[in-house]
Every structure is written in C-alpha cells, then in structure tokens.
Amino acid sequence: MEVKLAESAGFCFGVKRAVDKVYEQIEKADGSKKIYTYGPIIHNQEVVNDLKSKGVETIDEPEKIADISGQIMIIRSHGVARDIYERAARNNITLEDATCPFVKKIHNIVSEKGKEGYHVVIIGDASHPEVRGIVGWSEGPVTVLGCEEEVRKFDIAKDKKICVVAQTTFNAQKFKHFVEIIRENGYDTNVINTICNATAIRQSEAADISMSVDKMIVIGDAKSSNTKKLVDICRSNCKDTYHIQTVKDLLSADLQSGKCVGITAGASTPNYLIREVLLYVRGNDFQ
Ligand code: F3S
C-alpha cells in the first residue's frame, strides 16, 4: 500500500518551539521551583496529560499570577498582553517567553504604530487569546473587527490614520476583502499583512493529498478547530476520511482495501502520534 504523509503535518514552527521550551524546563528543573504555563501550551489532551504527569500546571487568569510568586511561568506561542509580563515581574516569577516570533512582531507593530498616533485595527477573533494579547500591546486606540458586518460598521473620524494588522491564522482572502471595505469607506490605511502561512500551507497540502488517495487519515484532538477544518477539506475530496486522535482509533478501520492512504495532522499534533500512525499504516506493530 502506498502512503502519502503531508510534509506540513503536525506542529508549526511556533508551537514546536513552545512545547520544546516546556520540556527543556522540565529537564532543567531541580525541584526548587514549580513550572506553570500561562494557558494550556497546546490544544492536545495527550500532551497536556503528559505535562501534568511531569508536574506542569496551567494558570490562565492574570489575578492568579500573584498566587505563583517565585515560580517559573512559560508564555505560550499565542503570546500575552504586556500586563502579564508586568505582573510576572512584580511577583518575582522566572519568565520563559515562548511567544511565536511572528506574533511578537505584531506586538511590536501595534505598540509602535500606537505611539505614532495610528488607530490600530486588528482583523481577527476578539475572544482568541492571541488577539487579546495583541490588544494588550497597543499604546493608543485599538479596534478588533472579526466579521464583515463589524468592518462595515467601523466608524471613526476620517482624518485619523489607521494601521491594519491580522490575527496570524486569519483567512487571507477575507483579510483582503475587509481591507478593501475599510479603504472604500475612505480611511487612510497602512496595512501590514501579519497572517502566517503555516495554516494555509497545511490546508492546501491536505487538499492535494486527499484528492489523490482512496483513504485519508487526519490526526488531531477532537476539540482542535484547525484539525476539524482539515477533516472538512479532506472529506470533500475523499469520502473515506478518518479523524483520529491516536493510532488506537484506527484499529477498527478498514485500511487494507485502500491502494493509497494519505496522512495529515493538525497544528497541535505531536510528531510521536504521527509516527505511530505511519508505522501502523505501513503494517508495523503498534506498541
Ligand atoms: Fe504557528 Fe507562529 Fe504561525 S505559532 S501558525 S508559526 S504564527
């Protein structure tokens, strides 16, 4: 049986860097300080359980930072608002910053443009931690616009300069469309496209592979929205698409009747889970 594994399957650069940082801290730990992550480091239950078994705890409210005074806190790839760094400093916390450099770049843009007098517009989901973090770096007025209706209703003084940035995972076509609407409405805009193409590359590779196989396997947490999106894309091209969390979910699947099987995985799926599936599909024993 031929197996096609997507090169882009699994962790993006920023998530891998953040997860590696947590495991580095676990290795370095001498027991004198406890390790915390600010928010779950990744949306994958297997990884979260493994970290918990190694003593890593999660906190996710700014007010709780005072309760972990003197300990180690890791900031995940989504990044956080400036206020979280200040609270950590006040509470003598050893900070390990795993903010993805692409997100950090947006923090810097928002901060600089605010100081220069721009009104910052963030195209993205206002409730997403990455966007909340970006908002928390603005030095002036800031507005988050998540849908076309909000973009059309956006109304500030027309002589105000606007700087538009995007949540890193925002859809590129929609971003372009929203920027056009803002410009049509007569605003002087400085647009900085901050979309990261890791997601788009993973989705387009999943589409290509699923078009050319009899069976398609998508590995990822049941709650992972980017995995669900991959499943939808693959299912539209290949009706025998399996969404699995670990190789155990494949035990009852009929893979043998396929001549060619494709495999991809969501952004929060660790490599070892992908490797186990690959070995299983190639006929190796799963331990
Ligand atoms: Fe990943 Fe960083 Fe892009 S976290 S999706 S590489 S912005």
Side-chain angles (χ1 to χ4, degrees), residues 12-15 77-78 100-103 130 168-169 196-199:
C12 61
F13 149 79
V15 169
S77 55
H78 292 324
C100 176
F102 300 134
V103 177
E130 178 193 319
T168 54
T169 49
C196 167
N197 59 6
T199 309

